Amino acid sequence: MNISVGISDWKTCKPPDVLVTYALGSCVGICLWDKMNRVSGLSHVMLPDSSTVSKVGENRMKFADTAVPDMHKKMLQSGALQRNLVAKIAGGAVMFASASSQFNIGERNVEAVRKVLKFLQIPIIAHDTGKNYGRTVFFHPETGKMEIKSSAHGVTTL
Amino acid sequence: MLEKYEDLNEMHMDVLREIGNIGSSNASTALSSMIGREIKIQLPAVKILGFQAAIDHYGSPEDLIAAVLVRLKGNISGMILLLINKAFAEVVLDIFFGKKEIDLMNLDENEISALSEIGNIMGSSYMNAIATLSGLNIGVEAPSFTADMLGAVMSVPVIEFGEVGDKLLCIDKDILIDGVPLKSNMMLIPTVDSLSELFGKLGVL
């Protein structure tokens, strides 16, 4: 079954389910995978850092620094082992070229994701980030493959 | 003082609808004189939507769409986003270049300029109307264009407004050319602070 992950949302699963998140723009999709027992998670974050916001409030799933640790914790509870975990990430595009770099939120999102994964000691083994186009991500827990679909470049598998 | 979009009451919503109405009729007049066709823009709707709902409202996340983003500057911050679907782009590019069949993902430079200019003209005239009405100083930055999946395009307003809350305010309407509804949308997406400023000027707080 395909489990759909919305914007500022995360889900975890095991095979034979497949995780999918549609049309990442400047958002980043983070796939975490236990390569031995195949517990998997996919998080779709919108923003880098919850500490810049006065109230994180309702939605911890919105920020890289809160969503990824929460999903990581849930995966460990579901039987994933820290030493088996690896990450694959995609997204963080610049959708509209702008003279001002203030709006390059895609790049800031990717940096924040790298930082939190480093903190959690999870190596990034594949990535497809930046550039200027949207991406749909399928993650297959059975094989650990991340499939990326874009309107501009078709399908690539990492 | 407004802190989030959910604080808006019915009167605020009425005022926003009226603002959308005035802005969009100005924008449609501008577009009409640019392309020499009769343009009607439907009565605007004001919506406060969650992020996923905001994307779903305009179609499926993977629908291909062209879009022109015009950022606002001056007393108001926010953006105008014009979503251009294939049918709308075909009508416009037929008028400009006599091109009948187009592929949104493979537009040439002239075609992109023409569509960007439409976003620019419509965005500027929309905001001029609001500036005149409110006495606020409102400018627009140069338009930028993309063609991609709807969800990826919508991630831009959603992210920028995600810093201040979990909702997006859209004042949007469908555009009709020669009576044909083209399911393209023009959205005014103001920041919460800008709304306070605007309501203050109009004496509606």
Side-chain angles (χ1 to χ4, degrees), chain A residues 6-7 22-27 46-47 52-53 58-59 62 95-97 103 105 108 133-136 149 151-152, chain B residues 51-52 55 61-62 64 67 69 71 81 105 144-146 148-149 151-153 155-156 158-160 162-163 165-166:
Chain A
I7 187 166
Y22 295 101
L24 291 161
S26 301
C27 298
M46 284 168 52
L47 288 162
T52 59
V53 180
E58 323 67 86
N59 204 345
K62 199 154 77 173
M95 296 307 299
F96 291 95
F103 297 112
I105 190 79
R108 282 165 52 209
Y133 55 86
R135 299 165 172 93
T136 284
K149 210 170 100 186
S151 334
Chain B
F51 297 140
Q52 191 64 49
I55 295 169
E62 291 191 303
L64 280 188
L69 179 76
R71 292 184 190 281
L81 184 62
M105 294 308 296
S144 56
F145 177 90
T146 196
D148 210 303
M149 296 187 270
V153 169
S155 78
V156 173
V158 161
I159 285 174
E160 280 180 35
E163 304 234 27
D166 292 315

Side-chain angles (χ1 to χ4, degrees), chain A residues 9-140:
Chain A
D9 182 18
W10 55 259
K11 300 266 171 57
T12 64
C13 77
K14 290 175 188 167
D17 291 339
V18 172
L19 293 159
V20 56
T21 197
Y22 295 101
L24 291 161
S26 301
C27 298
V28 178
I30 305 105
C31 307
L32 299 186
W33 187 52
D34 180 320
K35 55 187 190 285
M36 301 308 287
N37 57 40
R38 296 183 162 68
V39 175
S40 302
L42 173 56
S43 165
H44 180 150
V45 301
M46 284 168 52
L47 288 162
D49 188 359
S50 62
S51 66
T52 59
V53 180
S54 50
K55 65 170 188 59
V56 181
E58 323 67 86
N59 204 345
R60 291 173 61 85
M61 296 195 271
K62 199 154 77 173
F63 304 96
D65 69 330
T66 46
V68 180
D70 286 356
M71 182 172 80
H72 174 239
K73 195 170 152 197
K74 174 74 194 309
M75 287 174 66
L76 295 177
Q77 286 165 358
S78 308
L81 295 175
Q82 176 68 35
R83 65 170 183 275
N84 298 336
L85 286 177
V86 291
K88 297 187 177 188
I89 64 173
V94 179
M95 296 307 299
F96 291 95
S98 164
S100 157
S101 63
Q102 170 199 351
F103 297 112
N104 191 351
I105 190 79
E107 196 175 302
R108 282 165 52 209
N109 277 336
V110 173
E111 273 168 33
V113 165
R114 289 185 176 278
K115 194 172 143 198
V116 68
L117 289 172
K118 192 172 178 195
F119 177 75
L120 296 171
Q121 299 184 304
I122 304 172
I124 299 171
I125 59 166
H127 65 94
D128 175 18
T129 57
K131 308 203 183 77
N132 62 352
Y133 55 86
R135 299 165 172 93
T136 284
V137 169
F138 289 87
F139 188 76
H140 300 271

Side-chain angles (χ1 to χ4, degrees), chain B residues 3 11 22 60 65 80 113 117 140 151-152 158 161 170:
Chain B
E3 283 182 358
M11 187 179 64
I22 293 165
S60 297
I65 193 104
I80 285 184
S113 301
E117 192 49 23
V140 297
V158 161
F161 296 91
C170 299

